[in-house]
Amino acid sequence: MSAGTPARGRPGTAHERAGILLADDMEDNLTALEAVLAPLSQSIVRARSGQEAMRALLGQRFAVVLLDVGMPGMDGFETAAGIRRLDRAGDVPIIFLTGADDSRYAFRGYATGAADFLAKPFDPWVLRAKVEVFLELHRLRAQVRELRRLVEAARADGGRADVARADCTPADGGRAHGGPES
């Protein structure tokens, strides 16, 4: 599958459609990552190189990037540095994945802007939980942006804009934070 082509997805609003970008040069790794993340029902896009990952980020929004450190050519660190320079994607969380057991890799990963770093083989439950957190953070950031937009519109409209139109209900209905049905 080429960069920018979703492997899986579900309909929804723009911030719900922000997907997961997987960047790894090994087909078996991409297949395994996809299998682990499929239960999240999010759009998954594959990239087989750092260059493909950069092209995908220019064409689509992602909630999180899973990036292999040891890709040939443009490695994961160079790709992360390139991502950080992109206006459109500079703030996308990056989870580095590596088969190397070297603490210097983790340090370098965090220094290039990684949000997290996992050594292979990783626990699929842990990876899925981490990705779920970044998906939820992306959704919440999108809600904040929408609320800001509505507040600004209300101010510009002399307070007549309908701020109540924004759907700010957490995905769990607020139960995790003492809301309905807690």
Side-chain angles (χ1 to χ4, degrees), residues 24-26 67-77 96-99 105 120:
D24 196 309
D25 60 310
M26 303 293 292
L67 185 56
D68 179 41
V69 169
M71 294 184 291
M74 184 182 210
D75 70 16
F77 301 120
F96 274 114
L97 303 171
T98 183
Y105 274 26
K120 298 175 189 175

Side-chain angles (χ1 to χ4, degrees), residues 9-162:
R10 69 178 170 92
T13 63
H15 63 268
E16 290 173 326
R17 284 193 306 262
I20 302 165
L21 176 59
L22 310 177
D24 196 309
D25 60 310
M26 303 293 292
E27 181 65 28
D28 289 347
N29 292 344
L30 290 169
T31 300
L33 287 167
E34 208 170 34
V36 167
L37 300 173
L40 300 178
S41 300
Q42 294 291 318
S43 169
I44 297 174
V45 175
R46 296 167 158 227
R48 297 285 310 257
S49 68
Q51 292 87 351
E52 272 189 39
M54 297 292 288
R55 281 193 298 273
L57 285 156
L58 289 171
Q60 181 178 343
R61 291 213 175 271
F62 292 96
V64 63
V65 175
L66 278 67
L67 185 56
D68 179 41
V69 169
M71 294 184 291
M74 184 182 210
D75 70 16
F77 301 120
E78 293 169 293
T79 303
I83 291 169
R84 292 295 171 239
R85 288 190 298 269
L86 294 174
D87 288 337
R88 178 182 172 108
D91 63 345
V92 174
I94 297 170
I95 300 175
F96 274 114
L97 303 171
T98 183
D101 187 21
D102 188 339
S103 62
R104 291 176 295 180
Y105 274 26
F107 177 78
R108 188 171 173 202
Y110 288 121
T112 57
D116 210 341
F117 197 94
L118 289 174
K120 298 175 189 175
F122 52 82
D123 182 326
W125 296 99
V126 170
L127 177 65
R128 188 178 311 131
K130 288 175 183 279
V131 170
E132 279 181 303
V133 167
F134 289 116
L135 291 168
E136 179 66 7
L137 287 172
H138 179 80
R139 190 186 66 74
L140 291 171
R141 282 192 306 263
Q143 284 182 347
V144 168
R145 282 191 302 272
E146 177 65 8
L147 283 174
R148 283 184 182 144
R149 187 191 67 75
L150 289 171
V151 167
E152 290 302 316
R155 286 182 182 149
D157 194 28
R160 292 185 300 270
D162 184 9

